[in-house]
Structure formats: C-alpha cells, structure tokens
Amino acid sequence: MAFHARFVADSVLGDELRTNDFARPVREQRRAALDQLFRSEVLVGGTLGATLYGPEGRVTYSTDHALIGRASRRPATSMETSVQEWAGTKALNVYVPVRVGQGEAGTFALHQDYGPIAASARKAFIPVAGVLELALIGLYLSLFPLLRRVTRRLRGHLEEIEHQALHDGLTGLPNRDLFRRRIDEALAEAQQRRTGVSVLLLDLDRFKEINDTLGHQSGDLLLQALAKRLETLIRDTDTVARLGGDEFAIVSPGAGNEGDALVLAERIRAGLEAPFALAGLTVEVEASVGIALYPDHGDDVEALIRHADVAMYNGKKTHRPMLYSPKDDHYSPDRLALVGELRRAIANRELVIHYQPRVELATGDVHAVEALVRWDHPERGLLSPGEFLPLAEHTGMIRPLTRYVMDAALADCAGWAQEGLRPGVSVNLSARDLLDADLPREVESLLSKHGVDPTLLEVEITEHTILTDPERARIVLERLRDLGVRLSIDDFGTGFSSLGQLKRLPVDVLKIDRSFVLNMEHDDNDDVIVRSTIELGHNLGLRVVAEGVETQETWGRLAQLGCDTAQGFFISRPLPRVVLVEWLKKRGSEEPPRRMRLVG
Ligand code: C2E
Ligand code: MG
Ligand code: MG
C-alpha cells in the first residue's frame, strides 16, 4: 500500500498534477478532472480515497469533496503512515511528499480501508505481520534503484505515447485534446490575474474543392504548409492546434480583449494572403475565423470552443473574422425556445406563404409566382424567413418546413387553376432537402395529392446549397427533373459554382441575385455582371430571371439586355394568397402594354 502510494506519487501524479492543484482548493472543473484521474489511475482494491494537501496543510483536493478547503495536517517531509478515521471509516493513511515540476508542492495521501487489513493481521500472527512489513520495506529499498531506472525508461515511452495522443499526425500540431488542456491552463491563469483569453477557430473556405481537384496528397501538403505558416503568425504564449479536417484553432492568453483578438485575427488573415506553393502549383486559401473571449463569451473550455464555432459559422457569410454574439447563436436558450415554438407553428399552421409574381419582360405575362414563407407568430408578429430559417436549417426542422411549404403552395396552385388562373409556383429548397433521397418521392405524392401538373412546379436552389454535396444533390435533382419538375439556380453569382458544375445539373432557369440587380443602375460593374449572366444563361440554353427589380429604369434596362423574366418590388411585393388572386385577375383584365405599378 505504501509502495502503491509512492509509485503513484512518483510516476503518475508528478506528470498529471499542477502546482496550482496544491496552491488553493481546486475549482469545480479541475475537481472533475482530478476525480477522473484518481478513479482511473489511483483508486484500486480497497482504497477509500485520496487527498492532496497544500504546503500549509490545507486540503486542496480530495476524492471526498466535503474535505476540500479544510486545514488538517502539517506537510509530510518523508513517507508517513497513520491509522486514523478518514471520511467516517477507520483507515490506514499513507502520506507522501509530492513534487510538481521543480519545487516541493505538497502532500499526497492514500486512504486504505483498515478493516480487511486488521482482519488479516489478526488472522496471521501479529509478529509475522511485523516481520513481513519489515521485509517488504527492505525489499522496496533494495529494489529502489532498479525501479528508478525502469520508471525512467517507462516514462520515456509514456511521454512518446502521450505526445502521439496529444498531437495531430499530419501537421504535428497539438490536437483537440491538448488544445482543450491549453485553454484550461490559460483560463486558470487568466482567472488569477484577472485578464482575458481569446479562442479563435479557423476553417478553410473551399478546402473540399482543393482536395477534390488537386487530390488528397496536395490537400495534405496544403494543411502541412498552412500549419507551419500559422505557427509563424502566433506568439510564443499562444497555441495553434488542428482540430480535424481543415479546422484549426488558436488560444491566445495575450489577446485578452476584443481589440487584441481582432488584431490577431487580422494578422492571421493577412498572413494567409500569400499563396501556397504545392508541387509546382500555387494555391490561394481563405479562412473563416470565429472568436470567443473569456470571460465575456464563456468561462469554460466547452462554451468557448462552441461559441467560437458559432461565430465562425457566421463569419462564413460575411467573410470577416467574427466575434461571438448570442443573437446569432442558434443554440442559445432563446433560440432553443424558438425551436419548440417552430415545431408547434408547423403543427398549428402558423406558417403562411406569400407569393411574389414573376413577369415576362417581353409580354408582361405572369407564368409563375415564388412561394416565400413567413411565420405569423402569435406574439412577435409576422417574422421574415431570415429570422427563423437558419434555426430550422440547424435543427433538422427544415425538412418538415419544406414539406409544409410545398404542400400549401401546391394546394394554392390547384386552387388558382380552378379560378381559371394558371401561374406555376416555385418553392425554395435548402441544402438538407437536397441531401434527402426521399424528397423526389415526397414531391411526387404531393403533386398527385393536389392534382397539379408537375411542369407547373419549379424548385429553387442556391449555388451554396448544391456545393454541400454536389453528387448527392445531382441525383435528387435528376429524379425531380424526371418527374417533370423545373429547376432554377437562385441567387446566382453569389456562390462559387463553376460552369462545369452548372452544365452537369439539369437546370432550366438562372435567377440573377438581387444584389447585382438592385445596383445595376448606379454601378457599372453590376451592370456588366447582369449583362454577362444573361448571356451566359442564354448560351447554356437557360431562361434568365432578374430578382430585386425595384425601379422602372432597371426594368427598362433588363428588357434592353434581353432578360426573360423579372421579379421585384417594382412589379409586386410578395402577397398573401387572396391578395395575389385579386392582383392576377386585375392584371389579366388590363390590356397590353401593361403598366407596371408598385403594389403592396
Ligand atoms: P430568395 O429565394 O432569393 O427570395 C427573394 C427574396 O427577395 C424575398 O425575401 C423577397 O421578398 C425579396 N425581394 C423580392 N423583390 C425584391 C426587391 O425588389 N427588392 C428587395 N430588396 N428584395 C426583394 P424573403 O421573402 O425575405 O426571403 C428571403 C430568402 O429566404 C429567400 O430568398 C429564400 O432563399 C428564403 N426562403 C423564403 N421562403 C423559403 C422557403 O419556403 N424555404 C426555403 N428553404 N427558403 C425560403
Ligand atoms: Mg428563391
Ligand atoms: Mg434569390
């Protein structure tokens, strides 16, 4: 038992314990870590528990948490034993002085249930027990030098294994486990000094594309080069780690506030600007960066990593390093409450659909309307899709939501047909929808449920949506196309889809993103983009729709450029179903050339 205590103190604890563990009663998080360490490494057989004492004799940690913080014994200078009650049980206690790092740190104690020891001592002759104990001590002393050598070698091996366990094989950077440890250490120090810590998460944009086009080997080379580059961009006190895939992370105890963190993020961004040379090719990379700060955004490892991740995800949209903000956090308690409400909203049919007409520029005819979902929230009023779609997309609610919208839009489409109106309807899909192989079957059954001609249905997908998994998306889209459903690429020009990809997809329509159309009157570049997109679409045999047409001038210019169809506030805002029917009837009765009026 004494031997066990000494061995534990020498080999296991010397590495695992920190000076801080003896300096003051440990915090809750560290206490949990120590509980685990002791449970897995130390507590064997009849061992009741273990205790750490600081240099002044205060209990800084004990497996019996009630003892933590109590002052109870002077520090041990060499191994000592006692038979005394411990945590309500008579125990054999062994105290061993422990060094952590260089100096003397405190005392480590193991408490062994005395009952079985006493019983076996009583059973045997007590003198025999005494002799045995002496013999054991003799044996221990004689074996000590050998043991030290073995321990040293063992420790060498252990260090190697530990290095492997805590570092990433490809780049040699610390891995996720070590990264968490480093954050933990930085937090302990920051707490003491009342300073801050920043945690940055980096994710390469388009790494998958690089990997797919240049091959995995080049992908690996890029990650290695990137790791080296990142190491040159941080300070000695910072740690850069690879968390997996193309995700890297930095913990910086030096960057303790927003300003410092943003400066660091900017240094990283600028540092990644120079292209990487890979086997004769130069590759440019860009990374999205998310930042979470201690103490503002969280005070433990989990919260900081998760919040930096949320910020990074938002950074992907803005292409700027982003600080965590609870309002963008889909998992914050507020948002979680909303998830429950959204589920209820779908069940209670609180989601409503507004329809925005699309008008043929040449004839003024309306061949189609776009279904745009809104949430008629009992307390918050009418919520726009931007306020709840990201939530639905993050929580698996998007599939039921899409089904709901599709069902309602097809029901309305069937209703219009009965009133002698015949616009088709287009429904927006999200990435998750396209990854679901069941979608085509679902669409087919909704079409037949409402008796709508499949050619009247169009689905809109963004370039971004396809990029998540182009192969799977293509399969789903082809099956939709086989049903007769039309397909349009929404927000065209904002993503990265290549012409090659576009050509491979069964697309019928390109919708030019409204950001280009809105400004084309004032911005020559936007005008050029719109013009060339129209040409591109026509060359590929597609029809081209311009979104965001707000003025007569834009309408005129689009007509001049030969654009096929326009959609925007100049023609009509998205309208509730009943209002749309009125609007369509009124237009139908007007004689061409129809005047464009602003409605809504
Ligand atoms: P989107 O598909 O690009 O839809 C067009 C958006 O532009 C609509 O915003 C519409 O109100 C707005 N818009 C139309 N004309 C103009 C204009 O002249 N000027 C300006 N400034 N804006 C105009 P909304 O309804 O807020 O929808 C935003 C986005 O939410 C949609 O963009 C679409 O991506 C998504 N969305 C809407 N409904 C659904 C849905 O049922 N399912 C899915 N997955 N996404 C949807
Ligand atoms: Mg759309
Ligand atoms: Mg759009």
Side-chain angles (χ1 to χ4, degrees):
M1 149 98 184
F3 175 72
H4 177 52
R6 160 62 69 195
F7 184 80
V8 166
D10 272 354
S11 59
V12 184
L13 302 181
D15 288 332
E16 293 290 344
L17 293 181
R18 308 177 189 151
T19 324
N20 265 345
D21 294 333
F22 293 93
R24 76 192 75 78
V26 294
R27 287 192 303 136
E28 199 176 295
Q29 202 184 357
R30 180 66 183 152
R31 192 182 74 195
L34 288 175
D35 282 346
Q36 206 188 347
L37 170 72
F38 279 103
R39 228 175 288 131
S40 63
E41 307 270 3
V42 179
L43 300 186
V44 291
T47 311
L48 293 172
T51 306
L52 305 180
Y53 300 89
E56 297 88 4
R58 179 185 296 278
V59 176
T60 55
Y61 167 78
S62 174
T63 47
D64 181 357
H65 296 168
L67 299 178
I68 298 177
R70 296 217 198 140
S72 68
R73 80 180 308 283
R74 59 173 179 76
T77 47
S78 59
M79 187 163 61
E80 298 170 21
T81 56
S82 76
V83 176
Q84 243 171 11
E85 196 160 276
W86 186 82
T89 311
K90 192 169 184 192
L92 174 63
N93 307 294
V94 180
Y95 302 91
V96 186
V98 178
R99 280 188 306 276
V100 176
Q102 300 303 322
E104 192 92 335
T107 306
F108 164 65
L110 263 188
H111 314 284
Q112 183 89 12
D113 191 350
Y114 192 65
I117 303 175
S120 53
R122 238 177 283 119
K123 241 194 241 159
F125 285 114
I126 286 178
V128 172
V131 169
L132 212 64
E133 175 128 338
L134 274 178
L136 277 175
I137 290 175
L139 193 68
Y140 170 63
L141 288 177
S142 62
L143 281 177
F144 192 70
L146 174 72
L147 207 74
R148 242 212 336 231
R149 250 185 326 213
V150 173
T151 311
R152 214 173 288 148
R153 205 173 309 151
L154 214 67
R155 194 172 283 179
H157 284 308
L158 280 176
E159 269 165 18
E160 208 179 295
I161 292 169
E162 182 172 74
H163 184 88
Q164 283 169 7
L166 293 177
H167 290 79
D168 164 48
L170 180 66
T171 61
L173 292 181
N175 65 11
R176 193 180 276 270
D177 287 343
L178 184 54
F179 184 65
R180 301 159 78 95
R181 243 190 241 189
R182 292 283 158 83
I183 300 182
D184 217 5
E185 286 160 9
L187 292 183
E189 199 167 311
Q191 207 169 34
Q192 219 168 5
R193 298 209 202 147
R194 300 190 174 283
T195 54
V197 174
S198 55
V199 173
L200 280 71
L201 247 54
L202 276 80
D203 187 84
L204 290 192
D205 301 336
R206 294 197 290 148
F207 178 70
K208 192 176 172 317
E209 268 176 66
I210 294 172
N211 229 359
D212 289 350
T213 17
L214 303 181
H216 288 275
Q217 226 165 3
S218 300
D220 285 355
L221 286 176
L222 175 62
L223 293 174
Q224 285 168 337
L226 185 81
K228 282 221 184 69
R229 175 97 51 99
L230 286 173
E231 277 183 314
T232 66
L233 297 170
I234 59 164
R235 290 188 225 167
D236 289 349
T237 46
D238 300 348
T239 300
V240 57
R242 178 174 175 227
L243 303 188
D246 57 346
E247 203 175 69
F248 292 81
I250 295 168
V251 52
S252 174
N257 58 42
E258 283 189 19
D260 292 349
L262 287 170
V263 167
L264 172 61
E266 176 51 31
R267 194 163 71 228
I268 303 285
R269 196 201 56 72
L272 296 184
E273 248 172 18
F276 289 84
L278 302 181
L281 287 170
T282 50
V283 175
E284 289 186 23
V285 302
E286 245 181 285
S288 303
V289 181
I291 307 166
L293 290 169
Y294 165 84
D296 298 358
H297 305 145
D299 55 8
D300 62 47
V301 177
E302 281 319 313
L304 288 168
I305 293 186
R306 206 176 60 66
H307 289 165
D309 192 54
V310 168
M312 183 181 76
Y313 183 82
N314 290 319
K316 285 222 177 287
K317 291 175 229 155
T318 57
H319 297 285
R320 275 186 296 116
M322 290 291 273
L323 282 161
Y324 172 74
S325 148
K327 87 173 168 21
D328 300 325
D329 189 347
H330 309 301
Y331 299 94
S332 69
D334 258 16
R335 293 273 174 162
L336 285 179
L338 259 188
V339 177
E341 287 186 46
L342 183 56
R343 194 165 289 133
R344 190 207 61 209
I346 293 179
N348 295 355
R349 306 197 75 78
E350 274 169 29
L351 299 186
V352 293
I353 312 215
H354 287 187
Y355 296 95
Q356 188 174 37
R358 274 194 207 164
V359 177
E360 298 300 302
L361 277 145
T363 61
D365 289 343
V366 178
H367 291 321
V369 297
E370 177 174 6
L372 296 160
V373 68
R374 276 98 183 85
W375 181 356
D376 195 2
H377 192 283
E379 285 118 45
R380 301 176 184 222
L382 203 63
L383 301 181
S384 66
E387 291 170 271
F388 59 92
L389 275 181
L391 179 75
E393 279 166 350
H394 274 90
T395 53
M397 298 285 287
I398 195 71
R399 293 288 298 112
L401 187 143
T402 302
R403 198 175 313 129
Y404 177 101
V405 173
M406 184 82 70
D407 188 31
L410 289 175
D412 289 340
C413 190
W416 300 325
Q418 294 199 333
E419 299 203 40
L421 301 162
R422 220 182 128 75
V425 70
S426 73
V427 173
N428 293 282
L429 296 184
S430 290
R432 245 339 146 96
D433 296 316
L434 280 195
L435 300 181
D436 187 344
D438 273 346
L439 182 83
R441 208 171 329 134
E442 188 178 295
V443 171
E444 188 178 14
S445 86
L446 288 174
L447 281 166
S448 72
K449 170 180 166 191
H450 297 290
V452 172
D453 177 356
T455 57
L456 287 180
L457 176 64
E458 182 174 309
V459 292
E460 300 193 4
I461 53 173
T462 63
E463 291 171 274
H464 189 79
T465 312
I466 314 166
L467 284 181
T468 316
D469 188 342
E471 249 334 281
R472 268 168 84 180
R474 197 172 54 81
I475 294 170
V476 170
L477 291 174
E478 274 172 359
R479 289 185 46 210
L480 284 174
R481 172 64 171 268
D482 291 343
L483 293 175
V485 174
R486 293 154 61 86
L487 178 68
S488 65
I489 303 287
D490 203 355
D491 303 348
F492 185 78
T494 56
F496 299 105
S497 58
S498 65
L499 280 182
Q501 256 163 348
L502 206 61
K503 237 176 54 190
R504 256 179 279 135
L505 289 170
V507 183
D508 306 282
V509 179
L510 274 194
K511 296 186 74 176
I512 311 175
D513 188 65
R514 61 179 178 275
S515 60
F516 305 117
V517 179
L518 283 173
N519 275 332
M520 62 185 288
E521 266 173 65
H522 310 289
D523 186 326
D524 289 345
N525 288 334
D526 284 347
D527 188 86
V528 170
I529 291 173
V530 172
R531 195 175 65 208
S532 24
T533 308
I534 295 171
E535 269 171 35
L536 169 74
H538 286 165
N539 287 338
L540 290 171
L542 309 177
R543 293 183 59 77
V544 181
V545 180
E547 315 177 315
V549 181
E550 293 191 349
T551 65
Q552 173 87 57
E553 286 70 29
T554 307
W555 169 277
R557 176 70 179 146
L558 287 166
Q560 193 184 20
L561 292 176
C563 187
D564 300 294
T565 316
Q567 178 180 343
F569 295 167
F570 173 63
I571 303 142
S572 167
R573 286 182 181 266
L575 304 171
R577 178 173 48 102
V578 186
V579 185
L580 175 84
V581 168
E582 291 308 309
W583 188 90
L584 286 171
K585 284 184 176 160
K586 200 147 155 233
R587 270 184 75 79
S589 61
E590 278 175 15
E591 285 306 304
R594 287 155 189 162
R595 247 166 45 86
M596 291 302 144
R597 273 174 302 111
L598 213 132
V599 180

